[in-house]
Structure formats: structure tokens, C-alpha cells
Amino acid sequence: MAENAYLHQISRHRIAPPSVTGDVSAADLIDQAMLSYNGGRLRELCQVFTRKMLEPDCTVGLTISGALTPAGLGMSCLIPLIKAGFVDWIVSTGANLYHDTHYALDLPLHQSLPGLDDFRLREHDIIRIYDIVFDYKTLLDTDAFYRELLASDAFSRSMSTAEFHFEVGKYLHARSSALGGTPGNSFLAAAYEAGVPIYTSSPGDSSIGMNAAERSLAGGALQLDTLRDVNETAAIVYDAKRSGGTSGVLILGGGSPKNFILQTEPQIQEVLGLEESGHDYFLQITDARADTGGLSGATPHEAMTWGKVDPERLPDAVVCYTDSTIALPLITAHALARCQPRPLKRLYDRRNELYETLRASYEDRVSSGLPTGIAARQKQKSQGTDEPSRDPSHPDTIDRAR
């Protein structure tokens, strides 16, 4: 049979996987058996993550939305990723951080079943998150912990949410150690230990924010500086790129954390007027559709039009439509099997330095008189990048596709 040249051009490889055996590793299962549909997209995502984003010069940002920590994914996945140096900074919903605190305080959550009688649960003071159940007292005890902690001097000032979560993680780490336990139950404590800054894009939208609001009514001086967050996160990305490295984002779900991590690039380009072209790597796990117009389902191609993703790096963007509770354990296992730990970047320790670098670059741009939002796109046009590559990502055939 004559060879079809175009078929060969678009083929990655012939589908002929080996038989799955009982002793196959998770990483080999992903690489060898997850070839098509969303299994194939998860494979691509894992391979871009391990082969490109985990290079030493890439700064990796992670977003966390959806109820992941109640399902134990903080302990099983996020902490190992942080300890291995595979995550450099985080944007999370406040709810995930609040529920992470249950584990730090040794307040149990239980696996159950969906479809329980919610009226009976209410009668017995039991809280439900789909198939997870726990005592209402878990909420009350966690609230009491935060109110007591926020009354301390460490929280009597204005601070970014990264500083806030650093102080919480510091306390949880010390508390666990003092009680003879290990801080391994809390990813807030692990992030503190590794110097990984954690930001919350909507700090008032969680039980932590609700308890901070109670402290405000009681006369507390804590103020969460969300404008500082905007510039600190932009400074992290700006430093990653101007130092000759790359910036990658791994987005679990969507929502406000997704936009907050991606808006760093429009903040740099459109608002501050600095020369930049977008994040280099965009990996997302989501169940949201693009055709509803919501941010959670917005594709990397759409994000590229905003300046959030570098047009030249779109072939390295992967969206997998599945549940984060399915994907994250597989991503974690694949990364730990395929990559050696990276040195910790400890970006929390460098926040002020990066912030001042961004400020200095912004002030230089203002003094130059160059209008905002011009520099980056003028450079792209002069280099002929108005028509970026539309080839799909070929992470498993890098030599041929590149």
C-alpha cells in the first residue's frame, strides 16, 4: 500500500501499545497506554510538565480551586510536589487553605458516599462535601483557631496574602513539631518550610476571610493588601523571564485563581508597559467548557489574545478535560518518577527584592515616556510573530515536531 505522505505528516506514531500488566508503574501507564482523547491530553500534559516545565530555569506557578484539600490531595500530592521543588509559587482559593488547616489541627474528615440524606446530616450536625463528611465541630474548632491566631501581634498590620499564609504556615509547622508530630499533614506548613509563597486571589471569599472579618469588627489591625499581591505575583513572573528563564502555570480547575495567575502578564505588559510576551507553558485540568464564555473554560489560544500566553509557545499548551482528583495523583506520580528533585527557589524570601526590581523597571518606563501596552506587541510585530504556529503540541516526538 502506498504511503500517505500527509498521514505521516500529522501522525505522532502508530497506535500499538504494550499490554498493561499488574506491575506497571503509574508513569509507564501514562506514557504507554494513555494515548488518545483526554487520556492522551493527560499524557501530553504530564510530558510537557516533566520535560519542559521542570527544567531548572522554569518558574512553576500552581493554581488550586475546587475542594481538593478536603479530599486529601494536599497530603497525597501537593506536599510531595512542594518538597521536590516542582512548585515555586501558588495561587489558591481560601477554602482549600482553610480545609488544609483541619489536617494540621488533626481534625478528621471522613470518606463516605454521595446521595446521603442531607436533612439527617443536618440533624446530626454533619457537614457534607459530596462524598466527604465531617463533624460541624471541625468548623467551629478551626474558626476558633484562626480567631485566636489572628489576635496575635504577628497579624496586627497590613500584609500581602503571601505574608499572611507564611505566618499561618509558620505557626502550624511549629505547633505540629511541638506536639511531637510531623508537619507533613499540611501543605501550608510545607510551603512555609520550602519558602513557597501562597496567594489568595479573593481573600474574603472563604472561612479564613470570614474569621479575619470578625477580628476586624473586634478592632483588629490586620489588613490584607490585595494590591500588593497583584504586583508581587507580577514581579515573580517578570523576574522569571527577564533573568533568561521561563514561566509555566499548572492550573487545577479554573475560577479566580486561574485568572489571577494569568493576569500577571497583562499587568506587566498592558498596565505597567514593560516588554514581555506571555507565559511560556499553560497546562490546565478542567471540566469547564469554552463556549459559555467563562474564564474557567477559556482556552490558551483565547488567553494568548490578552497577552497571557506567549504566541510562540502555544504548541506547549495543553488542556485536559477531566477531574483534578483523577489527574493530580497521576501528574504527581509521573513527575516524581521521571524527574529528580529541583533546588528550592524559595521565592518567598525574595519577594521584596523582586518587587523593587519590578518597581524600578516600571519607573524607568514612565520616565522614558513610552505609553503602556506598546513595547511587547511592537517587538512581536517586528519579529513577525503575528501568525503564531498552529501546530499541536508533540511532547512525545519533540525532535521531529520541533
Side-chain angles (χ1 to χ4, degrees):
M1 182 178 178
E3 183 179 90
N4 187 317
Y6 184 68
L7 176 61
H8 177 72
Q9 178 184 339
I10 64 173
S11 171
R12 300 186 181 191
H13 52 73
R14 182 174 177 176
I15 297 176
S19 298
V20 173
T21 63
D23 60 354
V24 66
S25 70
D28 285 344
L29 185 70
I30 292 167
D31 287 337
Q32 297 171 6
M34 302 179 72
L35 303 182
S36 300
Y37 315 127
N38 278 310
R41 303 296 77 70
L42 183 58
R43 174 173 173 261
E44 289 180 347
L45 186 149
C46 287
Q47 291 180 345
V48 171
F49 187 57
T50 57
R51 297 180 183 182
K52 296 188 175 185
M53 278 179 64
L54 293 184
E55 286 292 306
D57 66 347
C58 183
T59 298
V60 178
L62 173 72
T63 76
I64 307 167
S65 61
L68 301 189
T69 57
L73 291 170
M75 295 171 63
S76 65
C77 299
L78 299 178
I79 292 173
L81 289 172
I82 289 171
K83 288 185 173 181
F86 294 169
V87 174
D88 300 312
W89 64 291
I90 295 171
V91 180
S92 174
T93 61
N96 273 299
L97 305 177
Y98 178 77
H99 293 303
D100 175 75
T101 310
H102 305 329
Y103 292 96
L105 301 178
D106 198 26
L107 299 171
L109 283 72
H110 302 271
Q111 181 184 4
S112 185
L113 294 170
L116 297 173
D117 185 336
D118 289 319
F119 288 99
R120 290 202 66 192
L121 296 181
R122 172 75 180 224
E123 290 172 4
H124 291 274
D125 291 331
I126 295 173
I127 305 296
R128 181 173 73 90
I129 306 174
Y130 191 59
D131 59 355
I132 299 168
V133 293
F134 52 94
D135 197 302
Y136 179 53
K137 191 173 184 298
T138 294
L139 300 182
L140 299 180
D141 289 347
T142 307
D143 290 345
F145 161 78
Y146 271 106
R147 287 197 296 273
E148 180 179 355
L149 182 64
L150 299 186
S152 65
D153 290 342
F155 295 91
S156 297
R157 59 187 178 89
S158 176
M159 59 178 68
S160 70
T161 61
E163 293 177 90
F164 178 87
H165 298 132
F166 180 85
E167 293 293 340
V168 174
K170 179 180 179 180
Y171 181 87
L172 293 174
H173 189 281
R175 181 183 185 277
S176 180
S177 300
L179 294 176
T182 62
N185 288 352
S186 166
F187 93 86
L188 272 165
Y192 156 77
E193 192 172 30
V196 172
I198 301 177
Y199 296 90
T200 299
S201 48
S202 303
D205 185 20
S206 74
S207 292
I208 296 177
M210 290 155 58
N211 283 287
E214 186 274 342
R215 287 290 80 201
S216 178
L217 285 177
L222 172 65
Q223 293 290 327
L224 295 176
D225 189 347
T226 56
L227 301 184
R228 175 84 183 195
D229 287 353
V230 172
N231 287 321
E232 280 190 10
T233 53
I236 289 172
V237 175
Y238 186 63
D239 175 76
K241 303 297 288 293
R242 70 186 291 273
S243 62
T246 57
S247 173
V249 294
L250 174 58
I251 301 166
L252 302 177
S256 180
K258 176 185 177 182
N259 186 71
F260 200 73
I261 205 166
L262 291 176
Q263 76 171 23
T264 50
E265 283 286 1
Q267 173 70 1
I268 294 168
Q269 302 167 43
E270 173 190 340
V271 177
L272 301 183
L274 304 177
E275 187 178 294
E276 236 300 285
S277 54
H279 290 286
D280 298 284
Y281 305 111
F282 176 116
L283 305 178
Q284 183 180 10
I285 302 295
T286 185
D287 59 3
R289 292 162 31 194
D291 60 351
T292 64
L295 187 280
S296 295
T299 65
H301 281 76
E302 181 179 322
M304 178 267 293
T305 69
W306 290 80
K308 297 175 180 179
V309 178
D310 188 333
E312 288 297 292
R313 306 307 289 266
L314 279 174
D316 292 318
V318 184
V319 179
C320 179
Y321 293 94
T322 190
D323 184 335
S324 294
T325 63
I326 297 170
L328 184 56
L330 294 172
I331 295 168
T332 303
H334 190 275
L336 293 172
R338 296 290 187 251
C339 298
Q340 293 297 315
R342 303 194 310 172
L344 299 174
K345 287 186 170 61
R346 300 201 65 88
L347 293 178
Y348 182 85
D349 303 339
R350 300 183 59 213
R351 288 177 312 105
N352 290 332
E353 167 204 340
L354 303 183
Y355 185 92
E356 291 306 321
T357 298
L358 180 71
R359 184 205 297 271
S361 296
Y362 166 69
E363 290 174 347
D364 287 345
R365 198 279 302 164
V366 171
S367 64
S368 74
L370 183 68
T372 63
I374 299 298
R377 299 208 175 196
Q378 279 186 339
K379 181 178 180 182
Q380 290 169 24
K381 291 175 182 178
S382 68
Q383 292 178 340
T385 57
D386 284 343
E387 294 293 330
S389 168
R390 287 175 173 80
D391 292 337
S393 175
H394 286 222
D396 53 329
T397 53
I398 289 175
D399 292 340
R400 182 163 67 83
R402 298 291 187 269

